[in-house]
């Protein structure tokens, strides 16, 4: 269903009309996500800002693709396909993201994770008339970036059902989320090596595709 590998066989610039419409859609949605972030209660300072998280994740994906030698075209397509992965969050009430000292309940977690399907619904609504493989890539990443290799993620899809781009997005997006200091983390180490260690030793192959995790981790450790 969502097999498929790295997007190296199309360039959005080669189909200017479709490409420009897709990019405009993504930019518009990123503005909406920023407006949504601005509506969220600031309290003692909002740590997990969704639109800035999204830009960091997209940049990390791009850098990882380049680091793995997948080439500029794949890196560029992956950047744009990943940037809007959390746009569905704006469809949910702002209060549900408020941080607490306790772990969020399972119900709250599921409600939060429904942003994956809500985002895919926005894409369908706005770009459903376009038949282009990029739309499928972007929608897969949006819908499945909270899956786990062991099938215990939001939709219960196991690793063999997840494409390489989706597996990489799941890694990079989790890393960025865990780098942000949140009240329920207590005194957890959120440094780059600390988060990578936690991902490797506590989550590991049950959660992530380690063949993609290691190049990502290597790239992050080499960053200045
Ligand atoms: Fe997400
Ligand atoms: Fe995210």
């Amino acid at each position: 269903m969502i097999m498929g590998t790295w997007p190296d066989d199309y360039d959005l610039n080669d189909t200017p009309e479709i490409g420009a419409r897709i990019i405009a859609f993504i930019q518009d949605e990123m503005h909406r996500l920023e407006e949504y972030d601005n509506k969220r209660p600031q309290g003692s300072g909002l740590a997990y800002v969704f639109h800035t998280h999204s830009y960091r994740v997209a940049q990390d994906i791009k850098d990882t693709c380049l680091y793995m030698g997948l080439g500029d075209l794949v890196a560029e397509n992956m950047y744009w396909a990943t940037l809007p992965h959390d746009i569905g969050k704006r469809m949910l009430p702002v209060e549900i993201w408020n941080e607490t000292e306790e772990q969020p309940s399972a119900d709250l977690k599921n409600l939060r994770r429904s942003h994956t399907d809500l985002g895919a619904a926005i894409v369908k609504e706005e770009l459903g008339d376009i038949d282009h493989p990029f739309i499928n890539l972007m929608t897969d990443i949006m819908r499945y970036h909270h899956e786990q290799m062991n099938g215990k993620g939001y939709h219960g899809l196991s690793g063999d059902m997840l494409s390489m781009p989706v597996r990489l997005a799941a890694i990079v997006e989790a890393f960025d989320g865990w780098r942000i200091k949140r009240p329920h983390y207590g005194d957890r180490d959120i440094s780059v090596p600390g988060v990578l260690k936690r991902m490797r030793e506590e989550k590991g192959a049950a959660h992530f595709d380690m063949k993609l995790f290691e190049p990502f981790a290597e790239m992050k450790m080499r960053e200045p």
Side-chain angles (χ1 to χ4, degrees):
M1 96 221 302
I2 45 169
M3 298 315 287
T5 180
W6 304 106
D8 61 356
D9 55 350
Y10 55 81
D11 182 336
L12 289 176
N13 297 310
D14 291 345
T15 46
E17 224 159 274
I18 292 175
R21 215 182 120 198
I22 292 172
I23 299 297
F25 164 82
I26 295 169
Q27 288 171 330
D28 185 54
E29 282 297 330
M30 293 310 293
H31 282 297
R32 287 178 185 225
L33 191 59
E34 185 172 352
E35 281 166 21
Y36 180 77
D37 274 323
N38 292 336
K39 278 190 232 146
R40 293 166 59 207
Q42 299 290 315
S44 56
L46 187 57
Y48 196 166
V49 179
F50 300 143
H51 72 284
T52 50
H53 154 79
S54 301
Y55 282 106
R56 284 192 304 270
V57 170
Q59 188 60 49
D60 275 351
I61 286 262
K62 184 175 178 169
D63 292 344
T64 309
C65 290
L66 293 172
Y67 187 75
M68 291 196 302
L70 294 169
D72 291 340
L73 187 57
V74 168
E76 192 67 10
N77 284 333
M78 286 298 294
Y79 176 90
W80 287 106
T82 306
L83 184 56
H85 70 276
D86 279 334
I87 60 169
K89 287 183 173 176
R90 72 168 171 83
M91 305 300 286
L92 293 161
V94 287
E95 304 77 37
I96 73 157
W97 308 105
N98 293 355
E99 306 274 3
T100 53
E101 302 258 331
E102 316 86 67
Q103 286 281 350
S105 67
D107 280 352
L108 179 57
K109 258 189 184 167
N110 278 329
L111 181 62
R112 288 177 174 180
R113 287 186 169 186
S114 70
H115 72 271
T116 52
D117 293 328
L118 293 168
I122 298 172
V123 176
K124 195 161 186 228
E125 172 90 24
E126 297 294 324
L127 303 175
D129 59 306
I130 301 177
D131 180 20
H132 191 285
F134 178 86
I135 305 275
N136 302 332
L137 173 70
M138 178 171 72
T139 305
D140 281 348
I141 291 174
M142 213 172 269
R143 201 174 263 148
Y144 301 120
H145 65 268
H146 290 297
E147 299 307 300
Q148 299 176 16
M149 294 301 282
N150 60 10
K152 292 186 178 168
Y154 180 56
H155 292 92
L157 294 191
S158 52
D160 55 337
M161 314 273 284
L162 303 171
S163 67
M164 301 292 244
V166 167
R167 294 184 201 184
L168 181 61
I171 291 165
V172 176
E173 117 77 39
F175 170 83
D176 194 80
W178 288 331
R179 282 273 290 141
I180 300 166
K181 180 96 187 136
R182 326 253 304 264
H184 66 271
Y185 285 1
D187 55 4
R188 191 195 286 178
D189 180 2
I190 58 161
S191 67
V192 170
V195 174
L196 292 173
K197 182 172 190 279
R198 178 179 152 81
M199 289 176 80
R200 188 182 287 112
E201 291 172 14
E202 284 178 45
K203 305 292 178 183
H207 212 108
F208 302 116
D209 181 342
M210 300 313 280
K211 285 202 189 79
L212 295 174
F213 173 81
E214 290 306 338
F216 167 71
E218 218 176 280
M219 187 279 294
K220 284 315 283 186
M221 290 303 289
R222 283 180 185 209
E223 272 180 359

